Amino acid sequence: MKQILNNILNANSWLFLELVIITVVAWAVFDPAVVNLYYRSLPLGYDSSQLLYAETEVNGSWNKVVDGVPQDPYEMTEKRRDQILHQLTSVEGVESAYLYEQEFGAVGYSRPAFNECVVGGDTLYLAVINFCSGAHFFETYGLKPLPGSPSAAELSRLSYQDQQVVLTRSGAIALFGTADVVGRRLTICYDPAYEATVAGVVEDFRMSVSNTIRSMIIKPQKTQYTNCRYVIRLEKGLNAQHFVEEHGQELIRSGQTGFSRISRLTTFDEYLQRLELDDGRTQEVNRSLALALFFLVNLMLAVIGTVWLHAKRRTEECGVRRAFGATRGRLLFDFLWRNALLATAAVAVGLVIYLNYAHSGIQVYNGEEYCETLYTIYGTILPMDKAWPEHFWPHFLTVSAIVYLIILCTVLIGTAIPALKIIGTRITTALRDE
């Protein structure tokens, strides 16, 4: 095998060097595309296709007079909240609705905040989501409580005064080492620090497309302002886009009160896409995929051209071998396996070169390793929230395997096209070819 490889390298040294360079460049080009496609493929952990998203604005002046009593239109009361939720859920096709005051820390927000949590002297940072108590948070998003936890409706009614919290499965395991933690206590180092009881645990979910954080603490809070955002869950089977087009105006009218009105209504998936666009993630993803596709097309053309020149030199050899009884299938196999072996050797050398470069970018912060030369889109706090792109060797080996398969397939296709033409040439014509 070593002698065969040496013979192949000697005869195709320029193609070998070209493939080595292509491997190094391909790694840098395909790395962002592979990682972005991976993050896009991850499930959110809840059914966003059945959700709508609405933004509101305050309707009226600073002070309103109702029944002779001055009212602050910006202040949310329990009566106003219940009125809004009742009006929204009275629309045919609406299963549930949730309202919250601000995007910061909400499901769908792309830049989460963190709470410092202490259990048994160990301190960990969990992403925090604040939900408005009594506003159907868990039912509307469709978050799933684990066995032994209260129902979604019961969790939504948790009061901010009771100092109870909900954890995701990963958050519970990070803090306590197990997901069976209902009733256990932890200290939340907020200003001031306080002890909280775990009221329930829900299955993991992600706040947005742009991160893999699943270790979260979910805390109730009081709704204070009428300038809210609404998340609306439709009944199963309804198409969110069609619902907006056909019943959007009815929903907007139902969301209007004497104090606020819906100013914008979209599907929740469109809202997530807008967040990605605003954060620059959409442009980054599209750019990485477009660059990878452009490189792949040019890689195919370059390999076909180079292989054609090398294969052309073997036209006479193919004619001689066919004259002595070699079949077209045998000749094609000979072309393919030789170039496959050449591509494998070239990719191996190219990967070693890129490995030296990639490994030089490893940095250690607070005991955790980060690689500045490998592409990632979001840094996580806890190791258990990290996916393979945040770990050096899984990242390098996964992308390397994909790069190898792409180059191998490209070389085989680029070899088969000219090879089929050459071995299909008539024997007399092939023997006259110089």
Side-chain angles (χ1 to χ4, degrees):
M1 178 62 72
K2 182 178 179 180
Q3 184 61 40
I4 294 175
L5 182 59
N6 286 335
N7 293 337
I8 295 174
L9 291 176
N10 290 333
N12 302 278
S13 56
W14 283 109
L15 177 58
F16 177 79
L17 291 175
E18 179 181 333
L19 290 176
V20 170
I21 296 173
I22 285 175
T23 299
V24 175
V25 177
W27 219 105
V29 171
F30 286 118
D31 185 25
V34 169
V35 172
N36 279 315
L37 284 175
Y38 166 74
Y39 281 120
R40 280 290 178 89
S41 69
L42 292 176
L44 286 171
Y46 57 91
D47 185 12
S48 63
S49 65
Q50 296 296 118
L51 297 179
L52 304 181
Y53 172 79
E55 295 177 358
T56 67
E57 60 185 12
V58 173
N59 182 26
S61 60
W62 180 257
N63 285 306
K64 278 181 161 259
V65 177
V66 178
D67 296 330
V69 180
Q71 302 284 328
D72 183 353
Y74 287 87
E75 181 184 356
M76 176 64 77
T77 64
E78 186 174 337
K79 181 179 179 181
R80 293 178 189 175
R81 182 200 66 191
D82 292 342
Q83 177 191 1
I84 294 170
L85 293 177
H86 175 73
Q87 290 178 180
L88 291 174
T89 53
S90 65
V91 177
E92 185 178 358
V94 173
E95 180 180 298
S96 178
Y98 167 69
L99 60 82
Y100 62 101
E101 294 175 6
Q102 55 185 356
E103 285 185 311
F104 186 73
V107 177
Y109 192 71
S110 56
R111 298 173 186 173
F114 295 92
N115 267 173
E116 184 180 346
C117 303
V118 179
V119 174
D122 295 328
T123 300
L124 290 175
Y125 286 89
L126 301 187
V128 60
I129 291 178
N130 296 311
F131 72 93
C132 295
S133 177
H136 308 293
F137 170 77
F138 292 91
E139 310 100 292
T140 303
Y141 279 107
L143 304 182
K144 303 175 180 63
L146 268 59
S149 294
S151 67
E154 291 174 307
L155 292 178
S156 290
R157 290 194 293 269
L158 291 178
S159 172
Y160 67 97
Q161 297 172 329
D162 296 335
Q163 296 187 340
Q164 292 181 307
V165 298
V166 179
L167 298 174
T168 59
R169 180 190 290 270
S170 291
I173 294 174
L175 287 174
F176 299 98
T178 177
D180 185 16
V181 296
V182 174
R184 300 183 68 170
R185 298 180 66 80
L186 68 149
T187 299
I188 299 176
C189 298
Y190 198 63
D191 188 17
Y194 64 93
E195 277 200 333
T197 303
V198 179
V201 182
V202 296
E203 290 288 358
D204 287 341
F205 63 94
R206 296 191 297 141
M207 294 177 67
S208 69
V209 179
S210 301
N211 66 70
T212 58
I213 294 177
R214 301 178 302 278
S215 298
M216 293 186 241
I217 182 170
I218 308 168
K219 303 188 303 183
Q221 68 176 11
K222 182 180 179 180
T223 312
Q224 295 179 322
Y225 305 105
T226 55
N227 189 18
C228 291
R229 293 167 173 83
Y230 307 149
V231 177
I232 301 164
R233 174 164 292 281
L234 302 178
E235 293 177 355
K236 191 173 183 180
L238 294 180
N239 182 282
Q241 186 60 54
H242 291 166
F243 191 91
V244 171
E245 294 170 358
E246 297 175 6
H247 304 285
Q249 290 304 313
E250 179 185 359
L251 200 59
I252 289 174
R253 287 194 298 271
S254 298
Q256 181 168 337
T257 68
F259 301 94
S260 65
R261 61 177 177 266
I262 293 178
S263 60
R264 182 173 188 172
L265 177 67
T266 65
T267 68
F268 198 80
D269 285 338
E270 288 177 342
Y271 164 63
L272 292 177
Q273 292 171 8
R274 178 159 58 89
L275 279 180
E276 277 198 290
L277 185 63
D278 292 343
D279 289 342
R281 287 287 306 133
T282 301
Q283 300 92 321
E284 187 175 352
V285 171
N286 292 341
R287 184 168 55 249
S288 66
L289 296 179
L291 182 60
L293 180 60
F294 177 78
F295 181 82
L296 185 61
V297 172
N298 283 274
L299 171 63
M300 181 73 73
L301 295 175
V303 169
I304 290 176
T306 304
V307 172
W308 181 281
L309 292 176
H310 285 81
K312 187 72 174 174
R313 299 172 187 171
R314 299 183 60 191
T315 302
E316 185 176 359
E317 175 192 337
C318 289
V320 171
R321 293 181 62 183
R322 285 186 59 199
F324 280 91
T327 64
R328 286 187 174 91
R330 177 64 187 176
L331 292 174
L332 176 61
F333 178 76
D334 185 58
F335 270 105
L336 292 177
W337 84 262
R338 283 174 176 268
N339 281 350
L341 185 60
L342 179 72
T344 301
V347 169
V349 173
L351 292 180
V352 170
I353 294 174
Y354 201 89
L355 174 62
N356 289 328
Y357 162 73
H359 200 270
S360 67
I362 293 181
Q363 304 291 333
V364 179
Y365 301 105
N366 298 323
E368 290 292 329
E369 285 190 352
Y370 300 88
C371 187
E372 298 176 349
T373 50
L374 299 183
Y375 181 86
T376 56
I377 66 171
Y378 199 89
T380 58
I381 300 297
L382 295 178
M384 67 182 304
D385 281 337
K386 292 184 177 180
W388 62 262
E390 281 97 30
H391 297 280
F392 179 82
W393 282 110
H395 188 150
F396 181 81
L397 293 176
T398 299
V399 177
S400 294
I402 293 173
V403 168
Y404 170 65
L405 290 175
I406 290 174
I407 292 180
L408 180 62
C409 291
T410 302
V411 169
L412 291 178
I413 295 172
T415 300
I417 293 174
L420 288 171
K421 182 174 180 61
I422 291 169
I423 63 180
T425 306
R426 296 177 60 182
I427 296 178
T428 53
T429 303
L431 291 174
R432 289 198 306 269
D433 193 20
E434 297 181 358

